[in-house]
Structure formats: structure tokens, C-alpha cells
Amino acid sequence: MSVFAKILTAITLAILSHAASADQVSTWNGDDTFFAGGLINQSIDTKGDTFVAARSARVKGAALGDMHVSGFDVSVDVNVAEDLYAMGATVVIRGDIAEDLSVMAFSARTANSAKTAGNARLLGNSVTVEGPVAGALSVIGRDVILNAPITGDVRVLAQTLSFGPEAVVSGTLTYSTNEKIKVPVRVASEDRVKFEKVSGGQIFEEWQDVTKDMPALPTFASMMFGFIVSLLFFLALGALMLGFMPKRLARMRRSIAAAPGQTFMLGVIGLSMLFGIVLVTALTIVGLPFVPIAILAIVVAWVLGYALGAYSVAMRLWTGLGGADDPSNLARLAILAGAITSIALLNFIPFVGWVANYTLVLLGVGAMTRAVFQSLIGTPDVVLDVDMKPIKD
């Protein structure tokens, strides 16, 4: 699945989950199946990958592809033919996993009915492993309980580690706790037990071991490549707008500079209307096939609003510093490139980057909303007094 597809999937799940706080919504795209809602208690039999997002998600049945589940309270009793990824405040796994298992939760538990044929990776405050694991087991948690047979190696980083009567480690058990503990011989013989004192550097190394099979963080080269691609995209978009609608673009840009506060509020209204379309379309049931189109409209408006907001603010700064109000198109593209680069650098500042980006989106969407409203209601004529003379302010 491409990066854009993953982003669109995340947006879809987030919007559907918010829009269906009381009702369950389900949709399909190819072999992918999506479920979202406030409370989901679903029996599934899906052929491809399955995505579930809810406040409380309880799922059972079978899935022939990967399964992704997120929510506050998550219970998965599904036999998954490939990988299972689960995230929530409380996560309980009860079904069989044919490949790997990855869980992140405040309280995570695998029941004794949950058999993992591949590797298992669990991260949480309280982690209980009762389901057998045929591969390797990696756990990071505050309090960890191991009560299952593990065929491969086990690596645990925890504050406390305890073993239940069913705990058996056939491979090497490597654990890191505050103090060295006595590992029962029935769990692992002494020659297969390694204790490593917890330290800051060690925690980082353990985290790398847990996440070695997960998607890696982007390198500087990949981040730079992504930035260059994004910059070229926005420059191409800017060139198209300047070429096909220069006057309309100038009017929207000047409307932002003339009334930024009003434009910001219009952006809130316009974006709310777009999100509301998703809710209304989904609640009609018959309109569910059009939900992806409404979501695509939100994505398009978001991108166009971001580009317009960045361009307008950059042009306002340009003129404020003494630049020409009507520069050449080449100069305009250079100004847009500088704006995109500056905003990209702001993203490295926590919170500030998000606020700056979202503000630009609302300014751009507000200008487009104003233009749409004006095209619908028209521009009012000049107000005249009884002598047919313009009324002055």
C-alpha cells in the first residue's frame, strides 16, 4: 500500500469513526474492508486486509489478510491469516495469528487461546502473555507477566517481571529489570538466561529490537526526497493556477490580506461543511458509496487551501518588505517555493508547525469559500440614495 493510500485510509477511519459515534459504518475498497463507529461488536469473514476503528471494538471471526484494530477498549477474537496490529487503552487478543503480532496498549494481554505462529511484539504499561508464541517474543512494559510457552527467544524490558505456571522458554531469555530476579528452572535453564541492567542506552537498544520488523523511521535522505517531491508538486500546482486563473487567484489572495480574521472564520465554516457532507451522506445509508468522493473532496480542498494560504501569506510579506504587488509569474513561483520551504522547517517545532499549517489551510479554504458564496449570491450593486447618488460611508 502506498503512502498516499495509508494516509487516505487513516483519514477515512478517523472521519467515519467521528461521523458514526452512535452507528456502525462499514465500507469496502477492493479486498480491503473498513469498519468504524462508537461501539463495534462485529463478526467478520473478510478476504483481504481488515481495518477497524472504534471507541470500543469487539471483533470475532476470520480474516484472510492483515488486520488493523484501534480503539479505547479492544478485544480481538479473530483468526488472522497474516499479521495482526492492535492499539488501544486496553487490548485483549484471543484469536490465532498465522504470522506476526504487534500490540501497543496501556494494558495488553494475549489469552491462552491466542496462538502466534510468528513473532510477537508487545508494548504497554501492563503486559500479560498467556498465548503461545512459535517465534520470538519482545516485550516492553512496566509490569510484565509471562505465562505461556515460547518456542523462540524472549527479550523483556520491564520494571517487574514474573512467571506463571505455564511459562516455558525454549530459546534464550534475556531480561532487563531494576534488579536481578530468580528465573525458575522450569521456565529456562540457567545457561539460557541473561540479565542486563537497565540503562538509558539499553532502553534505546531494546526498543530497536522490538521495532526491527516494523516500518522504520524515515532517514534524512528519504525526508529530503519527500520534501523535494512535495515542493515540485506545489510549484506545478501554482504554475497551473497562475496560468489558468490568474485574476481569480489574485482576488482570493487579496481577500485574505484585506480581512484575515473573517477569512479564517469562513475557512472554519467551509471545512465544517465539507466534513458535514460526509456525516450526512453516511447517515443516508444509500449514500455510502459516495462517502469516498466526499472524503476526496476534503483532501483536495485541504491541499488547495494549504497552497493558497501559503502563497497569500508569502505575497503579503513580500509586498510588506517593499516588493512589487504584481511581480512576474516566475517571481511568484519563487515566493511560493520559499513559503513551502519555510513552513516545512516550522514542522520541526512541536505544536507550532501544526498550528501554522492548519492556519494556512483555514485561510486558503476561507478564501475559496468566500469565492463560492460570491458566485452563488452575486456581488451586490452600489447602494443609492433617493437622488440616485452613491451613499458614502
Side-chain angles (χ1 to χ4, degrees), residues 207-245:
W207 175 249
Q208 285 185 322
D209 288 336
V210 172
T211 58
K212 63 183 180 180
D213 292 331
M214 297 182 182
L217 292 175
T219 63
F220 176 78
S222 62
M223 292 175 62
M224 181 59 78
F225 178 76
F227 166 73
I228 292 174
V229 171
S230 300
L231 180 60
L232 291 176
F233 167 78
F234 282 110
L235 289 178
L237 180 62
L240 287 173
M241 296 299 101
L242 289 171
F244 287 94
M245 46 183 294

Side-chain angles (χ1 to χ4, degrees), residues 11 26 33 37 76 78 120 139 186 195 199 211 242 249 258 277 321 328 357:
I11 294 174
S26 59
T33 305
V76 182
V78 177
V139 182
R186 61 176 176 79
F195 169 70
S199 66
T211 58
L242 289 171
L249 185 62
I277 290 174
L321 294 174
S328 65
N357 280 272

Side-chain angles (χ1 to χ4, degrees), residues 184-201:
V185 178
R186 61 176 176 79
V187 176
S189 58
E190 188 174 350
D191 61 311
R192 291 186 289 108
V193 176
K194 297 180 181 179
F195 169 70
E196 296 177 351
K197 185 68 176 178
V198 175
S199 66

Side-chain angles (χ1 to χ4, degrees), residues 36 49 70 84 88 95 109 117 124 138 149 177 179-180 184 253 258 270-271 295 298 329 335 355 364:
D49 294 344
S70 65
L84 171 60
R109 181 171 75 89
S138 301
T177 56
E179 301 294 338
K180 188 174 182 179
R253 188 253 299 178
L271 208 57
I295 295 172
I298 293 174
N329 286 343
I335 294 170
V355 172

Side-chain angles (χ1 to χ4, degrees), residues 14-78:
I15 293 174
L16 290 180
S17 180
H18 175 74
S21 57
D23 300 325
Q24 176 179 319
V25 176
S26 59
T27 187
W28 296 265
N29 184 22
D31 291 335
D32 292 343
T33 305
F34 303 88
F35 298 95
L39 175 62
I40 290 182
N41 190 350
Q42 181 72 35
S43 179
I44 66 172
D45 185 11
T46 54
K47 305 302 181 184
D49 294 344
T50 306
F51 300 82
V52 180
R55 184 179 66 255
S56 177
R58 301 186 178 277
V59 192
K60 57 184 178 180
L64 294 184
D66 294 334
M67 186 163 189
H68 308 254
V69 186
S70 65
F72 186 83
D73 182 17
V74 174
S75 176
V76 182
D77 190 1
V78 177

Side-chain angles (χ1 to χ4, degrees), residues 146-168:
L146 179 58
N147 187 30
I150 311 298
T151 304
D153 295 336
V154 175
R155 185 174 287 267
V156 178
L157 174 61
Q159 184 172 339
T160 65
L161 172 61
S162 56
F163 303 94
E166 303 299 324
V168 176

Side-chain angles (χ1 to χ4, degrees), residues 86-275:
M87 179 176 66
T90 302
V91 175
V92 180
I93 308 298
R94 295 186 172 90
D96 295 340
I97 300 95
E99 294 186 8
D100 296 337
L101 168 67
S102 299
V103 176
M104 180 183 294
F106 185 82
S107 175
R109 181 171 75 89
T110 63
N112 55 14
S113 59
K115 300 176 181 178
T116 303
N119 298 332
R121 301 171 287 266
L122 298 98
L123 171 65
N125 180 71
S126 174
V127 179
T128 303
V129 181
E130 296 180 330
V133 178
L137 171 66
S138 301
V139 182
I140 295 179
R142 183 178 184 276
D143 302 306
V144 176
I145 300 174
L146 179 58
N147 187 30
I150 311 298
T151 304
D153 295 336
V154 175
R155 185 174 287 267
V156 178
L157 174 61
Q159 184 172 339
T160 65
L161 172 61
S162 56
F163 303 94
E166 303 299 324
V168 176
V169 178
S170 301
T172 300
L173 169 61
T174 304
Y175 71 97
S176 299
T177 56
N178 291 336
E179 301 294 338
K180 188 174 182 179
I181 63 175
K182 178 64 176 178
V183 178
V185 178
R186 61 176 176 79
V187 176
S189 58
E190 188 174 350
D191 61 311
R192 291 186 289 108
V193 176
K194 297 180 181 179
F195 169 70
E196 296 177 351
K197 185 68 176 178
V198 175
S199 66
Q202 177 111 18
I203 292 175
F204 180 73
E205 292 174 2
E206 295 290 344
W207 175 249
Q208 285 185 322
D209 288 336
V210 172
T211 58
K212 63 183 180 180
D213 292 331
M214 297 182 182
L217 292 175
T219 63
F220 176 78
S222 62
M223 292 175 62
M224 181 59 78
F225 178 76
F227 166 73
I228 292 174
V229 171
S230 300
L231 180 60
L232 291 176
F233 167 78
F234 282 110
L235 289 178
L237 180 62
L240 287 173
M241 296 299 101
L242 289 171
F244 287 94
M245 46 183 294
K247 294 182 179 180
R248 182 171 299 179
L249 185 62
R251 284 197 298 268
M252 289 190 291
R253 188 253 299 178
R254 291 191 174 96
S255 70
I256 294 177
Q262 186 184 78
T263 306
F264 183 89
M265 293 306 300
L266 284 172
V268 174
I269 295 172
L271 208 57
S272 300
M273 292 174 63
L274 287 174
F275 277 89

